[in-house]
Structure formats: structure tokens, C-alpha cells
Amino acid sequence: MDEVPGSVGTSASFSLRLGQAIFSSASLLFMSLGVEFYSYTAFCYLVTIMGLVIPWSFTLAMVDGYSVLVKCPLRQPGILLIIVVGDWVLSILTLAAACSTASVVDVLLHANGPYCPPKFCSRYKISAAMAFMSWFLSLASSLFNLWLLPSL
């Protein structure tokens, strides 16, 4: 069986998972630095989803790292199906959180009054950008693993 670059158990997958964990952590960090994030539901939603994505990505990065070190890729259909479904669900939730955060920041910036101090809004924008980067890497991971699934 051919090895699909980016599928579970490869060094490319390890890089994608590590990138997801780093961007998700950065998104959570920039959102949490502003103590007023709890005032908006979209910001709370982003914090919740990033709190789910970080352990998922970090755990799968450790699995990928172990698979690369022992040169034994993970090719069990049941486990791969769980990973694909988990990736798709978290990818959709991450996209929803990033879009809702970006839209709320845009509304706060373009409202007629000073609803968002510039220091906080810039942090919220960076947090949304990091969430979009995390989503992009999560989508790539899920597509690579979905590509591998029918060949098992």
C-alpha cells in the first residue's frame, strides 16, 4: 500500500498536527489575554473550541511522532475512521468559531460607538487569524486521512 503524505503516522502528519496545536494555542492565548472576551458568545465559543482542538491535535501529534520513530504507520481502519470523523467535526467547529469571531470583531470595529478598545480588538483579530490557520491545517489533515481511508 502506498503511503499518502500527510496521513496518520507520517512526518507530514506530525508537522500538520504540531502546527494545529501551535496555532490553536496562539489563538487561545491571544483571546484570553483580553479579559473582556467573556462578554461575547462568539469569543467564548472560540475559547471552547480551541480548548478541544489543542488536546486532540497534540495527542495525534504524539501518535504521529511515535509512529515515525518506530517506523510503524497506523493503518487500522477503525482507528483511522475515528480520526477522520474527529478531524472533520473539529474542522467544521473551528471554521465556525473563526468566522463568528472575525465577524464579531468586524462589527465591533465598524459600529458607530467605541465598543471595542483598539488594544483588545487587535488581539481578537490575531486570535481569529490564528483560528483560521488552525482550521486550514485541520482541513488538510482530514483530507489526507480521508484520501487514505478507501485504500484500507
Side-chain angles (χ1 to χ4, degrees):
M1 175 175 56
D2 293 333
E3 186 176 284
V4 177
S7 62
V8 175
T10 62
S11 58
S13 177
F14 176 73
S15 300
L16 287 170
R17 298 292 179 185
L18 202 58
Q20 289 172 28
I22 289 169
F23 283 124
S24 298
S25 298
S27 176
L28 185 63
L29 178 72
F30 280 109
M31 184 58 72
S32 298
L33 285 177
V35 293
E36 296 181 9
F37 78 89
Y38 57 85
S39 301
Y40 301 98
T41 306
F43 296 165
C44 292
Y45 179 62
L46 180 76
V47 168
T48 303
I49 297 304
M50 291 301 117
L52 292 172
V53 170
I54 292 167
W56 173 264
S57 299
F58 188 70
T59 302
L60 289 176
M62 288 191 311
V63 168
D64 288 334
Y66 178 76
S67 294
V68 168
L69 285 177
V70 298
K71 294 178 179 30
C72 179
L74 185 67
R75 297 289 185 254
Q76 296 175 350
I79 294 175
L80 193 59
L81 181 64
I82 291 170
I83 291 173
V84 167
V85 170
D87 276 345
W88 275 103
V89 168
L90 285 176
S91 179
I92 291 169
L93 291 174
T94 303
L95 178 63
C99 288
S100 64
T101 299
S103 64
V104 168
V105 169
D106 187 54
V107 166
L108 290 175
L109 286 174
H110 294 96
N112 289 333
Y115 288 106
C116 186
K119 183 172 95 172
F120 288 136
C121 274
S122 65
R123 289 179 185 168
Y124 296 153
K125 286 192 289 188
I126 293 171
S127 178
M130 295 295 121
F132 276 115
M133 292 301 294
S134 176
W135 165 74
F136 180 73
L137 294 176
S138 177
L139 179 67
S141 292
S142 59
L143 287 176
F144 286 133
N145 288 321
L146 188 65
W147 186 9
L148 178 68
L149 196 60
S151 66
L152 293 178

